């Protein structure tokens, strides 16, 4: 089988026809370069998007676990309020050690308020003994490490925040009132004094 002869460009008959053929060839070359550049840009954008999404390039959505910051709480709705703060360190009486970091521990939000119950009294009623009674309905619980803030998003109402220090030797508590749409900043006090 014989190969087809190469197709030759039409020969220009006049200088005007030659100029028209040259202009047409240049326009065709420009379109080919533009198309090639667009394909290269599209491929580079696709590869960059994949790398950024995987957290390899800056500006990506995902990041390695070691670089992630603390999780942020969901925004408040009109039906909830929030309380946030730290656990003050348990320093004891007469201990002046300077500024201490905030303590680590577990903070539990109990729905209700604290009350006192009479448990005994002397016969002449001059001496009476009371016992602290905490609510039993647990609304939320959070473990916090040293110098980390606790945060609870709760329905409006009365709560008792109970903090148990990480070493388990002491507790602290605080009555709070949550209002819808508001954030209360309140540290759990040091009762070791």
């Amino acid at each position: 089988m014989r190969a087809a002869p190469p197709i030759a460009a039409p020969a220009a008959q006049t200088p005007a026809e030659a100029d028209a053929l040259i202009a047409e060839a240049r326009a065709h070359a420009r379109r080919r370069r533009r198309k090639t550049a667009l394909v290269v840009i599209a491929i580079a954008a696709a590869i960059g998007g994949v790398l950024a999404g995987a957290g390899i390039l800056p500006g990506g959505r995902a990041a390695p676990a070691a670089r992630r910051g603390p999780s942020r709480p969901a925004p408040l709705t009109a039906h909830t309020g929030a309380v946030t703060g730290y656990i003050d360190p348990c320093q004891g009486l007469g201990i002046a050690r300077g500024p201490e970091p905030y303590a680590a521990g577990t903070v539990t939000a109990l729905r209700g308020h604290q009350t006192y119950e009479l448990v005994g009294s002397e016969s002449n009623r001059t001496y009476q003994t009371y016992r602290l009674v905490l609510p039993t309905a647990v609304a939320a619980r959070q473990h916090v490490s040293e110098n980390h803030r606790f945060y609870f998003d709760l329905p409006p109402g009365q709560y008792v925040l109970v903090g148990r220090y990480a070493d388990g030797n002491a507790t602290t508590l605080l009555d709070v009132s949550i209002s819808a749409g508001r954030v209360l900043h309140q540290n759990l006090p040091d009762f070791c004094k």
Side-chain angles (χ1 to χ4, degrees):
M1 186 168 167
R2 283 181 28 184
I7 299 176
Q13 302 296 339
T14 65
E17 290 176 343
D19 287 341
L21 286 173
I22 291 171
E24 185 180 331
R26 286 182 180 159
H28 180 69
R30 273 193 306 273
R31 284 191 300 271
R32 190 175 45 230
R33 284 192 303 268
R34 190 175 300 137
K35 188 186 287 186
T36 303
L38 287 175
V39 168
V40 169
I41 290 170
I43 290 172
I47 291 172
V50 168
L51 294 176
I56 295 171
L57 291 180
R61 293 175 303 278
R67 288 194 338 218
R68 283 190 198 141
S71 62
R72 300 206 176 201
L76 294 177
T77 66
H79 304 291
T80 62
V83 60
T84 184
Y86 296 95
I87 303 173
D88 283 341
C90 182
Q91 293 182 334
L93 286 174
I95 299 175
R97 293 186 293 214
E100 289 287 318
Y102 291 110
T106 302
V107 181
T108 305
L110 303 173
R111 183 147 180 101
H113 59 288
Q114 59 182 318
T115 58
Y116 291 91
E117 176 181 272
L118 180 63
V119 292
S121 65
E122 294 281 330
S123 60
N124 62 6
R125 299 198 183 263
T126 58
Y127 177 74
Q128 296 178 336
T129 305
Y130 291 90
R131 177 175 60 116
L132 175 67
V133 179
L134 296 175
T136 58
V138 175
R141 180 174 285 137
Q142 184 179 9
H143 302 284
V144 292
S145 54
E146 190 175 275
N147 287 329
H148 282 87
R149 183 184 297 262
F150 64 85
Y151 181 94
F152 295 118
D153 187 13
L154 302 166
Q158 296 292 318
Y159 294 88
V160 178
L161 300 180
V162 179
R164 179 171 296 279
Y165 291 93
D167 61 11
N169 289 335
T171 59
T172 178
L173 56 96
L174 179 70
D175 278 318
V176 294
S177 180
I178 303 296
S179 300
R182 296 193 170 241
V183 178
L184 175 65
H185 298 275
Q186 190 70 51
N187 288 354
L188 290 174
D190 173 12
F191 283 161
C192 298
K193 293 179 181 180

